[in-house]
Amino acid sequence: MAGFLKSLFSAGQSLQLDPGAWAEALALPVFDGLAADDAARLRELAGRLLADKTFSGAAGHAVDAAMATRIAAFAALPVLNLGYDWYKGWSEVIVYPAEFVPEREIVDDYGIVHRVRQPLSGEAWEGGPLVLSWDDVLYSGGGQGYNVVIHEFAHKLDMKNGAVDGLPPLHSGLAVADWAAAFGQAYADFCRRVDAGEETAIDPYASESPAEFFAVLSECFFEMPDVLADDYPALYERLRRFYKQDPLSRLESSYDTATT
Ligand SMILES: [Zn+2]
């Protein structure tokens, strides 16, 4: 497996923050309303990520400093007030040019092995690499609810205490029972809405599992906090306390600036 992987991927390299790409990233809607001191801390965290992780291109894709800078800008946002240590313990970001189709073997209840090929926009391995489609990175940040980088890094936060189950390690002021009850109730409601064929502003992929629910809601929390706060105010509040930031007030402050 290792030899096979090596032949597919370019060697991982350390890349430095590209100031032009940084300015371009920070102009995206997801960063609207970010105060100057927050933006400075975001840049410092992005710099740490670039120094700590190697970036490899897959399927012939060449990752340059500008691409890595945009990825690092999105990745730094969830840990803006949590600190960089949340991203320690693994070392590689792999970037495909577009959606990728890994071949996996799945054993069913009867012991029969199936080869499954399913296109992915990203994936996060426990203790291992974080994988992204560059096309999907480019679709991210527009304030439409979609951000593959935040999604995969949210899985990394979730994995910090072992199981990928939608329950990341909680800091003081957040109780596991309360988190489980709030998320459990909202997840059941969301699955019911998706099953009923309702058009949801939140990506229906969130109904896949509690882990995907947490990752997709984290995307919404940063990319369209107003929609999340309307649909699931109790979850917005828990995510605000977990991430220790309030994207909704940033968004509202950016509206105020826009109208004056
Ligand atoms: Zn996911």
mmCIF file of all heavy atoms in Angstrom, residues 151-152 155 205 212, ligand 1:
data_model
loop_
_atom_site.group_PDB
_atom_site.id
_atom_site.type_symbol
_atom_site.label_atom_id
_atom_site.label_comp_id
_atom_site.label_asym_id
_atom_site.label_seq_id
_atom_site.Cartn_x
_atom_site.Cartn_y
_atom_site.Cartn_z
ATOM 1 N N HIS A 151 -14.852 21.460 6.563
ATOM 2 C CA HIS A 151 -15.479 20.150 6.771
ATOM 3 C C HIS A 151 -14.451 19.104 7.215
ATOM 4 O O HIS A 151 -14.628 18.434 8.233
ATOM 5 C CB HIS A 151 -16.165 19.703 5.470
ATOM 6 C CG HIS A 151 -16.883 18.393 5.569
ATOM 7 N ND1 HIS A 151 -18.258 18.298 5.626
ATOM 8 C CD2 HIS A 151 -16.424 17.112 5.645
ATOM 9 C CE1 HIS A 151 -18.601 17.025 5.726
ATOM 10 N NE2 HIS A 151 -17.503 16.274 5.727
ATOM 11 N N GLU A 152 -13.364 18.989 6.468
ATOM 12 C CA GLU A 152 -12.380 17.950 6.788
ATOM 13 C C GLU A 152 -11.619 18.270 8.075
ATOM 14 O O GLU A 152 -11.305 17.364 8.855
ATOM 15 C CB GLU A 152 -11.409 17.730 5.624
ATOM 16 C CG GLU A 152 -12.067 17.274 4.318
ATOM 17 C CD GLU A 152 -12.971 16.052 4.459
ATOM 18 O OE1 GLU A 152 -12.752 15.226 5.367
ATOM 19 O OE2 GLU A 152 -13.935 15.942 3.666
ATOM 20 N N HIS A 155 -13.655 17.231 10.978
ATOM 21 C CA HIS A 155 -13.482 15.796 11.277
ATOM 22 C C HIS A 155 -12.217 15.589 12.121
ATOM 23 O O HIS A 155 -12.189 14.758 13.031
ATOM 24 C CB HIS A 155 -13.348 14.982 9.992
ATOM 25 C CG HIS A 155 -14.651 14.706 9.289
ATOM 26 N ND1 HIS A 155 -15.807 14.342 9.944
ATOM 27 C CD2 HIS A 155 -14.967 14.716 7.965
ATOM 28 C CE1 HIS A 155 -16.778 14.149 9.058
ATOM 29 N NE2 HIS A 155 -16.295 14.375 7.844
ATOM 30 N N TYR A 205 -26.321 15.955 2.887
ATOM 31 C CA TYR A 205 -25.263 14.999 3.233
ATOM 32 C C TYR A 205 -25.067 14.929 4.750
ATOM 33 O O TYR A 205 -24.590 13.922 5.277
ATOM 34 C CB TYR A 205 -23.956 15.413 2.537
ATOM 35 C CG TYR A 205 -22.811 14.462 2.789
ATOM 36 C CD1 TYR A 205 -22.859 13.156 2.310
ATOM 37 C CD2 TYR A 205 -21.681 14.866 3.499
ATOM 38 C CE1 TYR A 205 -21.817 12.278 2.548
ATOM 39 C CE2 TYR A 205 -20.636 14.000 3.737
ATOM 40 C CZ TYR A 205 -20.704 12.705 3.258
ATOM 41 O OH TYR A 205 -19.667 11.841 3.500
ATOM 42 N N GLU A 212 -20.877 13.301 10.123
ATOM 43 C CA GLU A 212 -21.071 14.207 8.980
ATOM 44 C C GLU A 212 -21.948 15.394 9.378
ATOM 45 O O GLU A 212 -21.764 16.505 8.883
ATOM 46 C CB GLU A 212 -21.674 13.462 7.782
ATOM 47 C CG GLU A 212 -20.781 12.370 7.197
ATOM 48 C CD GLU A 212 -19.376 12.847 6.844
ATOM 49 O OE1 GLU A 212 -19.172 14.053 6.609
ATOM 50 O OE2 GLU A 212 -18.473 11.997 6.834
HETATM 51 ZN ZN ZN B 1 -17.226 14.229 5.995
#
